Amino acid sequence: MIPGARLIILGRQGAGKGTQCVRLSRHFVVPHISTGDMLRAAVREGSELGRMAKQVMDAGGLVGDDIMVGIVEDRLNRDDARTRGYILDGFPRTVPQARALDGITSERPIDCVIDLDVPRDLVLARISSRRVCRDCGTNYVSTHGLEKHPWICEVCGGDVMQRDDDTPDAINRRLDLYEEQTSPLIEYYGSDGRLVVVDGVATPDEVFVRLTAAVEAARRPG
Ligand code: AP5
Ligand code: MG
């Protein structure tokens, strides 16, 4: 039986969290819980949450902590996450979210927190080339005009487009907010030994090998 996992993946916007979490979720057979994907699904559904979140996301801001904690708590209480575990992508993103998560997971603590480390200049280049399937969220890299139009997703046949928050202004705001609000989590999880830093500057295959090795090492007794 493949062991499950309870993981948090931190990292700047564009570090490759979503790309790697899809692979890690298959590897450990646990749900990939991306708060960004959950909010984008709410936007597509046109729910009240989605209408509020769209304005905040398109401006590169952060949705309120109470709302995000409630969404994640509900998701972690579902059977798959309770029994197998989960990979959290994009949560927590502030110290209050991390404190709330420690309370939610007190009975079944996380295995480790990984900081997928990629410098700001490189993530800017990755985000500006990113294209995403509007329906299933698969990531693609734009070859700047050489791709086919319309661009159809190879996985589900949906439209491949640029994300609404991948505009230069929103990208810069998101990266500034990362430094202000999210980077303190490196200290938060580092101070009690839960943090592992993984260098995310390599091919997606190489980064995946580094991540699985880091999780196995963190779980090894002693
Ligand atoms: P979210 O969807 O989480 O976006 P983000 O944080 O901006 O992160 P990204 O998805 O941009 O980056 P990623 O690390 O997943 O990179 P990816 O794998 O795509 O959140 C969106 C918004 O929702 C937030 O701004 C906020 O408003 C709101 N929100 C979400 N959670 C919240 C919370 N907890 N609290 C409050 N608000 C919240 O990779 C990027 C590109 O690089 C891709 O094109 C990919 O193909 C490419 N790539 C990946 N790996 C490599 C590699 N190794 N080499 C070369 N290219 C690579
Ligand atoms: Mg992502």
Side-chain angles (χ1 to χ4, degrees):
M1 178 75 171
I2 298 160
R6 290 186 294 273
L7 307 175
I8 295 173
I9 311 295
L10 301 177
R12 281 193 180 81
Q13 291 77 1
K17 300 182 297 295
T19 304
Q20 294 297 332
C21 286
V22 169
R23 294 167 174 231
L24 290 168
S25 150
R26 287 195 200 116
H27 180 83
F28 291 108
V29 196
V30 293
H32 166 202
I33 301 179
S34 157
T35 44
D37 287 350
M38 290 162 93
L39 292 172
R40 281 184 286 277
V43 171
R44 281 197 299 276
E45 283 159 13
S47 64
E48 198 181 320
L49 167 69
R51 282 195 293 278
M52 180 279 294
K54 181 163 174 51
Q55 284 191 342
V56 175
M57 291 163 83
D58 287 357
L62 288 178
V63 174
D65 288 334
D66 291 349
I67 293 173
M68 297 313 301
V69 168
I71 291 173
V72 170
E73 184 165 19
D74 285 350
R75 182 64 189 85
L76 294 185
N77 274 328
R78 280 174 38 191
D79 280 351
D80 56 351
R82 289 177 75 87
T83 53
R84 295 285 310 160
Y86 47 83
I87 302 173
L88 277 173
D89 163 6
F91 186 95
R93 215 176 268 245
T94 64
V95 171
Q97 290 181 15
R99 289 208 184 100
L101 184 65
D102 277 342
I104 294 166
T105 58
S106 60
E107 282 177 24
R108 282 182 288 268
I110 49 161
D111 297 326
C112 70
V113 180
I114 293 178
D115 175 29
L116 186 56
D117 187 31
V118 178
R120 184 167 172 142
D121 56 344
L122 192 53
V123 297
L124 272 168
R126 286 187 186 177
I127 295 176
S128 56
S129 316
R130 171 171 56 194
R131 300 294 181 273
V132 180
C133 172
R134 203 173 51 178
D135 293 338
C136 74
T138 298
N139 271 338
Y140 294 90
V141 179
S142 164
T143 44
H144 295 290
L146 296 177
E147 52 269 353
K148 288 185 206 134
H149 289 282
W151 191 344
I152 301 297
C153 176
E154 291 162 15
V155 177
C156 76
D159 290 327
V160 176
M161 322 181 72
Q162 193 154 29
R163 252 169 59 174
D164 290 341
D165 59 347
D166 280 349
T167 60
D169 283 352
I171 294 169
N172 277 310
R173 172 111 199 274
R174 282 154 61 203
L175 287 168
D176 288 346
L177 273 176
Y178 174 87
E179 303 304 334
E180 282 167 31
Q181 305 267 351
T182 310
S183 71
L185 296 179
I186 308 290
E187 166 71 21
Y188 181 87
Y189 289 116
S191 62
D192 59 15
R194 287 184 282 177
L195 187 78
V196 182
V197 180
V198 171
D199 181 1
V201 184
T203 65
D205 287 348
E206 285 166 328
V207 174
F208 177 68
V209 170
R210 291 175 189 174
L211 286 168
T212 49
V215 175
E216 298 307 345
R219 298 209 288 199
R220 218 166 283 140

